[in-house]
Amino acid sequence: MSHTPRSLRSRAVLTCALLVAPLIAGLSGCGGSPDPLSAKPYDAADQISFSGDGDGRKANPDKPLEVTAKDDDSRITDVTATDAAGRYVRGELTDDGRHWRSTVPLAAGAHYTLKVSTEDGGGAPGRRTVDFTTSSAHRLLKVTFGPKAGEYGVGQPITAKLSRPVKDPSARAVIERALKVDARPAVEGVWHWVNSRNLHYRPQEYWPAHATITVHSNLKGIRIGGGLYGGEAKSLRLTTGDRLEALTDSGTHQMTVKRNGVPIRTIPITTGMPGFDTRNGIKVILAKESAVRMTGASIGLGAGSYDLMVYWAARVTKSGEYVHAAPWSTGSQGYANVSHGCTGMSTANAQWFFNTVRLGDIVQVMHSNGDDMATFDNGYGDWNMAWADWRKGSAVASGQSDATPADSARLRPQV
């Protein structure tokens, strides 16, 4: 906005000497023309035009807002443009007072109030106030945040799914700056572009226990680029519970469950046998299913290999890795790995685990001969990426650096 009035010509102000004479009860003032600034502002509608004028047309948000003095003898002295929330639109007024132009994009489908101050050839002030709207965008980018509102474990990433793919780096930066995540207690985090339509957000370490996390978008009506504008996005509120971690050691065949850093239970387990080795790395509980049907065909075995109902199952990968009850392998639990990739335990321990954990809690597998957990395409493996590499996936933070020497290795949150 240009909010500093400019005087475009000097005005002669007549001075008046007051003659005070003894015994005379009057004052004598000198004559002259009235000060033009003391006059009531005239309607300047005929002296200016703006880019949304006439016939009910709406201003084009793809173009700057422009105000022009139409008469050679008139000048623009001040312009203010505000949106419905009272926020100012920045702009520049030319030195000759003939033209004002906005220097920031207008929002699409928004209402604005334009106030213009002018001055005619005689120095008299004029005013014009115009209410106008900008045309609605034809291509809107909607954002859907995840997961659903509720309480989660400290390992739950925030997700943002876009309704259209976005590849341009500058457009990505506009989007990323408008997607706000606030945590109480406060924690620093960064968005990471998984692909052209999906972003994940996480802090460097896990979320604090008993935190409140709010997510919202300031993208509505904002020009993103290429004719694309920000659309609606429903805000999201999450909370975290205790910091719960299940540390699964395939080498010792034991799982240690910690609450806020304190071990609360050690459970004999079995993990994947050779050829079906359980994936190493940090995983996040995706779902809890009290009963799920498992078949050998789902992992490439013959249709008759096995087909059974499994109980108290906590899912940790999209491909079907669970922590579940395995009463058929209790003789091997604590001694050998005999499963097809899942983590098996007794029915009593599985029921306890199922009732203790929540979505977003951590399951970390170590000392397995399996592959590493994928970062994105098989669940939430986000925490397996080093913080420095995570920041490189941001369109905003990638050029900054707050990496520590520990970032040179694969990230392993303190357990």
Side-chain angles (χ1 to χ4, degrees), residues 6-11 74-77 93-98 119:
R6 300 171 184 241
S7 179
L8 303 176
R9 59 175 56 80
S10 62
R11 301 183 177 90
S74 63
R75 299 290 185 271
I76 300 168
T77 59
L93 180 63
T94 58
D95 290 338
D96 61 3
R98 303 287 301 163
E119 188 179 80

Side-chain angles (χ1 to χ4, degrees), residues 326-384:
W328 53 85
S329 65
T330 52
S332 298
Q333 293 165 17
Y335 302 99
N337 294 323
V338 297
S339 82
H340 290 96
C342 292
T343 298
M345 58 186 66
S346 71
T347 299
N349 281 328
Q351 185 175 4
W352 175 88
F353 184 83
F354 185 93
N355 292 332
T356 300
V357 299
R358 64 178 60 83
L359 305 191
D361 280 335
I362 299 298
V363 175
Q364 182 172 352
V365 178
M366 58 197 79
H367 304 138
S368 169
N369 293 321
D371 295 334
D372 289 338
M373 174 68 177
T375 308
F376 298 118
D377 61 2
N378 197 19
Y380 294 128
D382 304 48
W383 304 100
N384 296 292

Side-chain angles (χ1 to χ4, degrees), residues 246-248 255 257 267-271 278 283-292 294 310-317 320-326 328 339 341-347 349-355 357 361-365:
L247 309 180
T248 305
M255 171 189 282
V257 180
I267 299 172
I269 58 166
T270 183
T271 59
T278 305
K283 305 161 192 177
V284 172
I285 294 178
L286 305 176
K288 292 168 62 178
E289 301 171 52
S290 57
V292 60
M294 295 187 180
V310 174
Y311 298 94
W312 310 118
R315 188 169 194 150
V316 292
T317 72
E321 184 182 321
Y322 289 82
V323 178
H324 63 75
W328 53 85
S339 82
C342 292
T343 298
M345 58 186 66
S346 71
T347 299
N349 281 328
Q351 185 175 4
W352 175 88
F353 184 83
F354 185 93
N355 292 332
V357 299
D361 280 335
I362 299 298
V363 175
Q364 182 172 352
V365 178

